[in-house]
Amino acid sequence: MSILTVRQLTAQIKDAVESGFPYVWVRGEVTNVSRPSSGHIYFSLKDENALLQAVWFKGSQKERETFDPLTGEVFEDGPRTSLAGTLRNGQQIICAGRLTVYAPRGGYQLVVELAQDSGEGQLHLALEALKRKLAEKGYFSLERKRPIPEHPHRVAVITAPSGAAIRDFLRLSGERGTGCEIRIHPVPVQGDDAPPRIAEALDDENRRGWADVLVLIRGGGSLQDLWAFNDERVADAVYRSRIPVVAGIGHEVDTSIADMVADLRAATPSHAALLLWPERQWYAQLVDDLEANLLEAAERRLSQADQRLDTLGRALAWLSPERGLARLEERFGTLARRLDFALEQKLERTDARLRFLEAGMSRYAESRVLDTRLEQTAALTRRLRQAQALRLEQIGGRLDTASSRLEERFARQFEGLERQLERHDLRLRGLDPEGPLERGYAYAFTADGHFVRSIRDVQPGASLTVKIRDGEADTRVTAVRATGESHDIP
């Protein structure tokens, strides 16, 4: 067994302590505060049964703090005096640092790196406990959160009426909203009276049923400043609200219980207005897009109608009596030319035969047989000419009869086509989307531009635009009814 010197033993104890406790959190009551000219702060932390020496070196101290050293929360009201400048005996604090051994006195001590008043530490513990409780009850479940209505027309804002939060919200809603109505429900947003008043305001707005959405907003601040929105009474009121709730409490780094229970969390009060209404330029672009789509659809419809009409016009022209008569005249001309040619050929052959007979007559002039043949030939020529004339007369009669029948047939077809064209014209007029409006009817479409064709297309509370002959009217569905049933807004 070796014998250690005091220095060796102290060094081993120092190594054991510093390696075993590299970073610790300690809560206790401040006592024996000492502030020498070096700027270091020496004090002790005590409880009922023990005492711990502590040192807060000047290099770890800050004159002003812009954020909570324990939570990282940025102070909304600006930098605050560090605890190093206000540390006093009897104060309850939480310290974070490392343990070390101070060899000259042979004792261990806490080297402080961070320090915070114990009051906020208790608030954080209470906040975490409430979060666990509400999470077990399903308050934070995403499945229960409801969608926020698009372009709400009636908004109830629950906040302090004179704070910067409501001014920013109203300014942005004026720049982005579309003529919506906003009602301010004034409540305190800080202090012991705030939680019950906020919960009561949420319940009042639900009883009235006026608003499309409830907005709960407050400007930034410390954890104590925002504590009213970490109250279980407020969380219960937000949870049981039948109207969707948008919460914008503090700054983006601030997350309250009310934010977590609300249907939609906004990073700031201004962000809440941005979430509720898009920019007006978006509306202008939407109108331009709809106008362009409507013009394109109208031009396409008219082009299709023109093509259809052109096709029907060509078909009608082809089947018209005038075109049929022209074709008959053309055919009649062809037949007449063929008949003339055949007659000319027949006559030429007859004349050739007559000339042959006449030439023979000079040789057999005295022959009675020749005279008889000549008479027979003349008679035959007369009969042939009479037959040809009768044949031409019969052909002409048949042509006249066929022409009359064809004219009657084409007249009936033309009347049928005219009736069919009238029916198509009536159908085209019936398909005109503006036609029913002129007869006193109206049609409705949703906020995203879809026509309402069935009760399944709308829900109670939905906003609709009704198109009538000389304009539009915005309305809201209070009930949806089918045969034998009714669904009203709760």
Side-chain angles (χ1 to χ4, degrees):
M1 182 181 69
S2 60
I3 299 175
L4 303 175
T5 65
V6 175
R7 178 180 178 182
Q8 290 173 334
L9 179 58
T10 302
Q12 292 184 18
I13 294 173
K14 179 180 174 68
D15 290 340
V17 170
E18 292 181 353
S19 62
F21 300 92
Y23 200 83
V24 294
W25 294 81
V26 183
R27 179 188 293 112
E29 179 184 343
V30 177
T31 184
N32 302 326
V33 177
S34 175
R35 300 176 182 272
S37 58
S38 62
H40 307 320
I41 301 176
Y42 298 93
F43 61 95
S44 300
L45 291 174
K46 71 172 184 177
D47 56 20
E48 294 85 355
N49 302 311
L51 184 73
L52 172 64
Q53 301 296 327
V55 56
W56 197 350
F57 292 118
K58 183 179 180 179
S60 299
Q61 302 172 23
K62 294 182 180 179
E63 182 179 355
R64 307 279 287 176
E65 292 179 341
T66 58
F67 61 91
D68 190 319
L70 299 183
T71 65
E73 173 191 1
V74 177
F75 297 134
E76 168 66 17
D77 52 359
R80 300 179 181 179
T81 302
S82 171
L83 184 62
T86 60
L87 190 67
R88 65 186 184 278
N89 290 331
Q91 187 175 5
Q92 293 284 338
I93 67 171
I94 296 175
C95 292
R98 55 187 174 83
L99 286 179
T100 186
V101 174
Y102 184 58
R105 286 204 303 264
Y108 73 96
Q109 62 184 3
L110 176 66
V111 180
V112 178
E113 296 182 4
L114 299 174
Q116 179 66 53
D117 187 87
S118 179
E120 289 203 359
Q122 294 295 334
L123 290 179
H124 281 291
L125 292 176
L127 178 61
E128 293 302 321
L130 181 57
K131 286 182 180 179
R132 289 192 296 270
K133 176 182 178 181
L134 297 181
E136 293 175 357
K137 295 170 67 174
Y139 277 35
F140 308 146
S141 175
L142 296 178
E143 289 75 13
R144 59 157 290 271
K145 294 182 183 293
R146 294 157 297 183
I148 303 301
E150 294 184 357
H151 319 300
H153 298 290
R154 294 185 296 276
V155 178
V157 183
I158 301 172
T159 188
S162 59
I166 187 60
R167 290 197 298 271
D168 292 341
F169 182 88
L170 293 177
R171 176 179 57 82
L172 286 172
S173 64
E175 295 174 357
R176 301 170 68 91
T178 56
C180 63
E181 185 176 355
I182 298 176
R183 292 184 182 178
I184 300 174
H185 196 130
V187 295
V189 293
Q190 187 172 340
D192 295 338
D193 191 39
R197 292 282 300 279
I198 295 172
E200 181 182 358
L202 288 165
D203 292 338
D204 286 345
E205 291 298 337
N206 273 273
R207 282 192 294 270
R208 292 174 185 172
W210 171 84
D212 299 328
V213 62
L214 304 181
V215 178
L216 188 62
I217 55 175
R218 187 213 189 277
S222 65
L223 183 61
Q224 292 94 334
D225 296 337
L226 304 178
W227 193 250
F229 298 92
N230 292 317
D231 192 281
E232 187 172 1
R233 290 168 291 183
V234 175
D236 290 338
V238 174
Y239 180 78
R240 64 174 171 262
S241 174
R242 298 186 304 274
I243 303 174
V245 178
V246 177
I249 310 302
H251 287 277
E252 187 171 0
V253 296
D254 303 320
T255 303
S256 67
I257 294 292
D259 287 316
M260 300 172 68
V261 181
D263 297 289
L264 179 64
R265 176 188 180 255
T268 62
S270 299
H271 187 224
L274 300 180
L275 293 176
L276 286 176
W277 300 286
E279 293 183 344
R280 288 179 179 171
Q281 294 179 352
W282 180 88
Y283 290 109
Q285 183 177 359
L286 178 60
V287 170
D288 291 341
D289 292 341
L290 292 175
E291 182 181 5
N293 293 337
L294 182 60
L295 290 175
E296 182 181 354
E299 291 177 357
R300 186 168 56 252
R301 188 63 178 271
L302 289 175
S303 177
Q304 293 174 353
D306 287 341
Q307 293 176 0
R308 177 64 176 169
L309 187 61
D310 184 63
T311 301
L312 292 175
R314 289 195 301 270
L316 185 62
W318 176 257
L319 297 175
S320 66
E322 182 180 358
R323 187 68 176 270
L325 289 175
R327 291 195 298 272
L328 286 176
E329 288 178 357
E330 182 179 357
R331 185 179 179 188
F332 180 79
T334 301
L335 293 174
R337 287 191 297 272
R338 291 175 61 186
L339 181 60
D340 290 340
F341 179 77
L343 289 175
E344 290 176 358
Q345 293 292 322
K346 184 69 173 176
L347 290 174
E348 288 178 357
R349 289 194 297 272
T350 303
D351 289 341
R353 188 175 181 184
L354 287 174
R355 286 193 298 270
F356 174 78
L357 292 175
E358 289 175 355
M361 287 176 60
S362 61
R363 294 191 299 269
Y364 305 102
E366 297 176 356
S367 177
R368 295 181 59 86
V369 176
L370 180 60
D371 292 339
T372 303
R373 295 288 301 273
L374 288 175
E375 291 176 0
Q376 291 177 351
T377 300
L380 179 62
T381 300
R382 287 193 298 272
R383 288 197 302 273
L384 179 61
R385 290 185 181 276
Q386 291 174 357
Q388 288 175 344
L390 180 61
R391 181 64 174 172
L392 287 175
E393 184 179 355
Q394 291 175 349
I395 292 175
R398 290 175 62 187
L399 286 176
D400 291 339
T401 303
S403 177
S404 299
R405 293 175 62 187
L406 187 61
E407 287 180 359
E408 293 176 359
R409 178 180 178 184
F410 278 114
R412 289 194 299 272
Q413 290 183 351
F414 183 73
E415 291 177 358
L417 289 173
E418 283 186 335
R419 290 193 295 271
Q420 185 177 1
L421 186 59
E422 290 176 356
R423 289 196 298 272
H424 287 319
D425 182 64
L426 291 175
R427 290 182 62 187
L428 285 175
R429 293 182 182 178
L431 293 175
D432 184 4
E434 302 294 335
L437 302 183
E438 297 296 331
R439 298 195 297 274
Y441 291 91
Y443 60 83
F445 55 89
T446 61
D448 56 2
H450 291 89
F451 286 104
V452 177
R453 295 183 173 87
S454 170
I455 62 172
R456 293 188 293 273
D457 295 337
V458 295
Q459 296 293 332
S463 297
L464 299 177
T465 299
V466 178
K467 176 69 177 179
I468 53 184
R469 179 181 63 82
D470 56 352
E472 297 180 350
D474 293 333
T475 184
R476 178 170 173 263
V477 179
T478 59
V480 177
R481 297 185 178 88
T483 304
E485 61 181 55
S486 173
H487 303 284
D488 294 335
I489 295 180

